[in-house]
Amino acid sequence: MGMGISEVALQVLSQGTLPHHICSSICLSSPYPTSPSIIQCKNKKSLGYASNHRIQHHRVASFRNVSFNQPRFPICQRADDVGSISDGGNGAWFKSEGKTSQILGEVNGKNVIGFDEFQQLKLEQKVPTLSSDKLPEVGKVNHSSHRSSSTSLEDEAWRLLRESMVYYCGTPCGTIAANDPSDSNVLNYDQVFIRDFIPSGIAFLLKGEYDIVRNFILHTLQLQSWEKTMDCHSPGQGLMPASFKVRTIPLDGDESATEDVLDPDFGEAAIGRVAPVDSGLWWIILLRAYGKSSGDLSVQERVDVQTGIKMILRLCLADGFDMFPTLLVTDGSCMIDRRMGIHGHPLEIQALFYSALLCAREMLATEDGSADLIRALNNRLVALSFHIREYYWVDMKKLNEIYRYKTEEYSYDAVNKFNIYPDQVSPWLVEWIPDKGGYLIGNLQPAHMDFRFFSLGNLWSVVSSLATRDQCHAILDLIEAKWSDLVAGMPLKICYPALEGQEWRIITGSDPKNTPWSYHNGGSWPTLLWQLSVACIKMNRPEIAERAVMEAEKRLCKDKWPEYYDTKRARLIGKQARLYQTWSIAGYLVAKLLLAKPESATILMNDEDTELVNAFYCMIDANPRRKRGRKKQSYIV
C-alpha cells in the first residue's frame, strides 16, 4: 500500500521541496458537490489527518493551521487528473516520460513537478495557436512620451492589487473589495465579491498567475447554494453567493490553534436583501477564461464543476410565468445593486446571460444527461439574440418608428408588440442620440422602454456578440460621438442620463447614495475600462479604449483609486466612494494588459455563432405580420 496523503505531504514538507502554491484546501479535492458542510483538516504536531463533518444550513470549509518551519499552509493536495500528466494517487502531479526539467522531489519513487512547470507543459501541449484572421492587428499602446509614467502607475497598481489578496489556509483565493487603511468602517468591503473579483482574476490570468483564479473558482463552487436559507426561504438551487469572507476562528479546547472558515453571503446581509443574479454568470465566464488562458482544461472537466455549471443553467432556464426569452430579475441584483428602476429584464443581465450560455455550451461535456439541457440552451440563445437585437435596439431610424407606433394592437401580427406609447420618447433622447450610432436600451417590458444608456450591458453585448456586427460598431460610434457625456473627465458613466427630481424620488425611493450623477445614478466607474477595452479590441478600434485609459491615468493614482466619481463631468471623487477600490485598480491593469497584447482578449470574447446567425436572419426575413400557424414554434420572440 502507498503512503497516505497526510504522510506524503508531511514527508515532502519536511524536505522543504513543496512550493507554497501546490497546496489547496481539502474541499477542492472532492469530485462531487455535497450539501452544506464543514470540512476540516486537523493537525496535531507532526501527524496530520483529515475528516469531513456535515452540519445543517451553512456551507463552510475550514482547516486548522499547520505549524512548521516553512510558510503556513494546509496539509492537502490536489486530486485532479490533468491531461497527459499523471496523478500518482497522492494528489501530486508526476512527469510524463520523455519530459525533462528540474525535479522538485520524489514521492513513492516518482518525480514530482510544481504547478508552474505543469502550466508550462500544458501550454506547450494544449494551447492552440491563435488564428490571426480573428484578431485585430494593434500596435503598442504606450507612446514614448507617456511610457515612463504609465509604467510606474502600473507597478503601483500591481502592488496594491497584491496587497488586497485574501488567503484561505495559506493559499490565495480572491481579493477584497477595497483596502483603504485609513477607513475603519469597512462594512462588507473586506469581503471577496464574485463580480468584483472578475477583473482581478483576469489580470492574474493575463499575468500568467493561475493559482489564485483556480482556487477562487473551486472555493466558490463549494459555496454554491444547496440548502442556504434567508428568513425561512431558500434561494434556487445553484445560486452563487454575492461574496464570501475568510474568517479565522479559534478551535475549542486549544487556544494555540485556529481554523479558517469560508462564510458566504447570498444576500442575507446585503443592503436590500437582494440575491445576486450575475454571480453565477460571471463565474461561468471566468471559468472559461481560465481554461483558455492557462490551457488547463481539467478544472472545467471535473465532475463537480460540470455539475455546478448545470445547476446554474437549470436555475436560469427554468420555466416560469414570463413570456420572454430574456431573464426576469428583480431590481438591485447585478452591478447596479441599489434600486434604480432596472427590475424586469435589464440589459446587463441579458448580455451576461447570453455570454454565459455560450461559454457553458463550449465547456459542457457531451453526455446523455446533458442532451436536453443543451437543446434548451440552444433554443434560448436563438430566441434571446433575436429578442435583444430586434426590440432593444434604438437609433434615429428606430426612434422614428417608435414615435409613430399605433397602440392597443390586439393580434398576433402586431407591430407594436409591447404596446409602447409614443409619449415615452423623452425630449432628452431626441436631442441626444446622434445621427450616426445607436445602442441597446436598458430595459423592455409591456408599455415600458427604459431609454437610458447602460455601459456594461452595451459593452458586453459587443464582447459576447449579442449585438450584430453593425450594431457593435454603432455602439462604439455613439460612445465616440457622446464622449463628453459618457467618458467626461473619468471613464465611464455607468448609465446616462441620471434620474433627477420627482422621478429620482419615486424610482430610487429617495436613496441618498443614488442622488443624480452619483454612484449608480449616473456616476463614473473606472472599473468599466476593462470591458471597454475588450469591446474596442474585438471591433478593431483600440484607439477608443487607449484614449479612455490615458484620460483615467491623469487622476486615478492621484485620487487614490476611488470606487466611483460624481457630477456630470466626473470632477469629484464620489461622496461615499471607497478609496483603493480593488476593481478600479484591476480594471485599469486589465485594460493596459489587453491593449498591450490584444490577442489575449480572445479569452473573454464570444465569436458569432454561424447557426445562430442563420436562425436570426431567417426570423428577420419572415413576414412579421404572418398569422400564427398550427405548428408550434420553437422560439419565443
Side-chain angles (χ1 to χ4, degrees), residues 580-625:
Y580 300 104
Q581 184 80 13
T582 304
W583 71 349
S584 295
I585 297 166
Y588 166 74
L589 285 173
V590 172
K592 294 292 289 187
L593 290 166
L594 290 176
L595 289 170
K597 193 178 179 183
E599 63 272 16
S600 60
T602 54
I603 68 172
L604 296 163
M605 298 175 188
N606 299 110
D607 292 328
E608 199 165 30
D609 186 282
T610 305
E611 293 182 5
L612 290 180
V613 173
N614 292 337
F616 173 74
Y617 282 111
C618 286
M619 299 170 87
I620 289 291
D621 292 340
N623 182 359
R625 292 180 172 82

Side-chain angles (χ1 to χ4, degrees), residues 143-208:
H143 305 291
S144 57
S145 60
H146 181 68
R147 188 177 297 118
S148 178
S149 60
S150 176
T151 302
S152 61
L153 186 60
E154 289 178 64
D155 292 340
E156 171 72 3
W158 273 113
R159 181 184 67 81
L160 293 171
L161 181 60
R162 296 189 192 285
E163 288 178 357
S164 72
M165 291 170 63
V166 173
Y167 290 83
Y168 173 65
C169 300
T171 57
C173 64
T175 53
I176 59 175
N179 192 24
D180 183 3
S182 64
D183 192 348
S184 59
N185 185 24
V186 295
L187 293 177
N188 59 351
Y189 284 80
D190 62 344
Q191 297 187 23
V192 180
F193 282 82
I194 288 187
R195 76 172 69 98
D196 289 41
F197 178 75
I198 301 303
S200 297
I202 300 300
F204 287 120
L205 290 179
L206 296 175
K207 199 74 169 178

Side-chain angles (χ1 to χ4, degrees), residues 399-464:
L399 205 57
N400 272 290
E401 293 178 9
I402 296 172
Y403 187 68
R404 295 173 57 82
Y405 267 167
K406 295 180 180 179
T407 58
E408 312 298 335
E409 293 183 286
Y410 178 79
S411 64
Y412 294 117
D413 58 355
V415 175
N416 185 4
K417 291 181 172 61
F418 302 96
N419 201 34
I420 303 299
Y421 294 95
D423 287 346
Q424 285 190 29
V425 179
S426 304
W428 73 264
L429 179 61
V430 178
E431 300 299 325
W432 186 75
I433 194 167
D435 291 332
K436 179 185 178 184
Y439 66 100
L440 297 167
I441 62 172
N443 211 330
L444 176 65
Q445 298 183 74
H448 174 65
M449 295 183 78
D450 185 348
F451 287 105
R452 287 175 292 176
F453 176 89
F454 287 87
S455 295
L456 177 54
N458 275 276
L459 292 175
W460 210 257
S461 295
V462 176
V463 174
S464 65

